[in-house]
Amino acid sequence: NALRSLAGFEDSTLATEVVPLLDDPLPNVQVQAAMTAGELGGAEAARALARVAAANRAFGVRREALVGLARVDTAAFTAASARWRASADWRERAAAAEGTAVAGRGRRPWFLSDRDPRVISAGLQAWSGEVEGPDAHGLDRGVDRSERRHQNDRRVRLQRARRAQHVHAVGAAHADVGQ
């Protein structure tokens, strides 16, 4: 949870604290470190995520490193994902599809032509998470990447949550209980 919280600071200088955890003995810590490094960004995070995505590690760690790399450095992601896209393992192609959607690169997403519907599904699922608004445009001319957090986004969500706390039930039915 501490690593997840650290990502909320959106400060790439904090990546120096996170990158060493990519080599932690526990794979779950490595996965969370990759997620956090991908959110924090910066050159150090990009180098470390590219290293982990290409390493001989547990699939979940490598997958999260690849998707994090897509958030941090799209050029490095494109280079790293070439091997993943050509893989015989559908899980690796699905991870590359997810990263492609996150990176927002390309005219027409390559994953739409994959032979395995699971890869197409993974790419579309990631793409739908990146596109904001009721008219999810982008597949006709490439995947459009949503803008990453604005400084006011968190404030707007908090205001909505506070408003919801002050909503009163309207027309609540109460049974008349006679004596």
Side-chain angles (χ1 to χ4, degrees):
N1 283 341
L3 278 174
R4 284 183 80 145
S5 298
L6 196 58
F9 285 105
E10 300 175 20
D11 181 359
S12 62
T13 62
L14 295 173
T16 59
E17 304 296 324
V18 174
V19 165
L21 296 174
L22 289 168
D23 298 315
D24 192 88
L26 298 174
N28 287 345
V29 173
Q30 294 173 22
V31 168
Q32 190 58 58
M35 288 176 113
T36 301
E39 290 293 322
L40 292 174
E44 185 176 0
R47 283 189 301 274
L49 291 168
R51 174 181 59 84
V52 172
N56 185 17
R57 304 244 186 136
F59 174 76
V61 176
R62 292 183 304 115
R63 180 204 155 278
E64 198 55 53
L66 186 72
V67 174
L69 185 60
R71 285 187 179 88
V72 173
D73 185 342
T74 55
F77 165 76
T78 301
S81 68
R83 183 182 66 80
W84 291 68
R85 289 194 331 247
S87 175
D89 185 349
W90 73 269
R91 298 173 310 147
E92 289 188 354
R93 293 193 319 277
E98 183 179 351
T100 298
V102 168
R105 287 283 187 193
R107 301 291 304 146
R108 183 173 186 264
W110 64 269
F111 57 80
L112 292 176
S113 303
D114 195 89
R115 64 188 176 273
D116 193 322
R118 296 173 291 191
V119 174
I120 297 168
S121 177
L124 290 174
Q125 183 68 32
W127 172 78
S128 71
E130 294 298 315
V131 176
E132 294 179 6
D135 58 337
H137 56 72
L139 281 181
D140 55 340
R141 57 183 161 66
V143 177
D144 292 341
R145 182 177 182 183
S146 63
E147 294 181 28
R148 283 186 73 199
R149 302 180 200 130
H150 293 319
Q151 65 186 26
N152 295 329
D153 283 353
R154 202 172 282 129
R155 195 174 315 138
V156 169
R157 285 193 301 266
L158 285 172
Q159 288 171 347
R160 286 184 192 145
R162 286 188 186 123
R163 263 190 264 139
Q165 290 175 349
H166 299 290
V167 174
H168 299 286
V170 177
H174 294 283
D176 283 335
V177 179
Q179 294 283 22

